[in-house]
Amino acid sequence: MFSNLKLDATKVYLFIEFTASAFFSMMFVTMSLYEATIAGLTPLQLVLVGTTLEVSAFVFEIPTGVVADSYSRRLSIIIGYFLMGLGFLVEGLFPAFLPILLAQVIWGLGYTFTSGATQAWISDEVGEEKANQLFMRATRVGLTASLFGMGLAMLIGANNVALPIQIGAVGVIMIGVVLIFIMPETGFHPTPQEDRNTWQHMWHTFNEGVKAVRARPRLITILGIGLFYGLYSEGFDRLWVKHLLDNFDIPVLFGNNQVAFFAVLRIVASVLTIFAIRFVEKRVDSGSPLAIGRAMMIVTGLIATTMIGFALSPLLVLALGLYLVIDVLRDIRGPLNSAWVNQKLDPQTRATVHSMTGQVDAFGQIAGGPSVGLVARFFSVVAAITTSGLLLLPAMFLVGRANSQSIAERDSQIDS
C-alpha cells in the first residue's frame, strides 16, 4: 500500500541523520544542565546515569545486531527510534534519579536497535564504497541540523529547561513513524521464515561475526582502541558541564538562563566541526585503512592532551577553547571509526560486527564510568576529568599497531 512512498536510500539516510541530529542536539544541549540543576544529581549520580545507559547498551547490543542481520534492518531501526523517544520522554517528565535511570535503560535499548543496523542498512542499499563516503557527508548534514536543534533549545528552554527534552523526545518518536512509510529495504535478504525462528540461527550469525573479527587482526586492534575510547568518554560526557558550573562564573546570554550559554557553546562547536569534517573529507581517503589510521593517531593524541588541559585550566576562556577542540575532534573520530570498521565486511554479518564495536565501547564506559565517578566523589571533578584524559592515552599505542597491520596487509597484497 505504501510502497510508492519509499524514497531513495541515500535521501532516507540523510533524513535520519538530519532529523535525529536536530532532535538529539535539542535534548543534549540541556540534558546535563537539567540533570545537574533541575534533577539535582551529584557528580557520582551523574556518572551512574551514564553507566546505566551503557550497561543497557552492552546487554542489548549484540542481540539487537543479530536481529538486524537475521530479520530486518529497517524494522530494527524503526523500533529503535520509538524506544529512544520513549526513554527521553520519561527523563524529561520525571526529574529524579530513579526515573532517569529507567529512562537510560529504555533509550539504551532503543539505541542498540539502530546501532550497527543503520550502517549495515545503508551499506547494503548503496554499496560499501559509497556508504563510507556517505558517513562523512552525513556527519556534516547532521552537524548542520544540530545547529537548528540547539537554536530551538535556546528559545524554548528559556523558562523551562525540561521542555527541549520533552519536545525532542516526541520528535524522535515521529522519526520512527515517518520511516514506516519512506524507508526502503532492497539490498538485504533476510533468512527464510522456515529457518529464522530459532535462537540457533541468531547464535550462528553472532558466531560468524566473531569469526569475521578474529580473521582480521587489524579489526581486533580497532576494537581494542574502541575499548579505551569507552573508558575515557563517560567521565567527560557526564562531568564537563558540572565542571564549568562549579569552577567558573557562567555568563548570562541574551537575558536568558544558562541554557543559552551552553547552546551557543555547542553551536560554535558544530560550526567548527562542519569545516573540520569537510577538511578531513578532502584530505583522508575513506577507502584506505592506513590513511584513516594515521588520522586517528592525530585525533586520539589531541583529544587526550586537550582534555587534561580542559580539566586543569584556571581560565574560563581557555577551558572553553579546549572544550571546542575536544568536541570537534570527537565528531571527526565518529565517521572515521565507522569507515575504519566497515572495510571489506561480509554483508551477512556487517550489522553484528558494527554492534560489536558498540558493545566494546559500552564495556569501556561501564568500567571507566564508575571509576571516574568515584574519583569525583572522593577527590574532585577536576581530578576525574584529568583521569579520563589519561585513560585515552594507551589507545595511541593500539592505533600505531593497527597502522602497522594495515601496512602489512597492503604489502602482502602487493606481493601476491
Side-chain angles (χ1 to χ4, degrees), residues 262-281:
F262 287 104
V264 170
L265 183 62
R266 293 288 188 98
I267 288 171
V268 172
S270 296
V271 171
L272 292 174
T273 304
I274 290 171
F275 289 106
I277 288 290
R278 186 59 179 165
F279 175 82
V280 172
E281 275 187 299

Side-chain angles (χ1 to χ4, degrees), residues 11 50 52 64 144 163 173 182 212 224 267 274 280 282 287 296 383 390:
K11 293 179 180 178
T52 302
T64 54
T144 303
L163 194 56
I173 293 173
I182 70 169
I267 288 171
I274 290 171
V280 172
K282 292 180 177 180
M296 283 290 294
L390 293 173

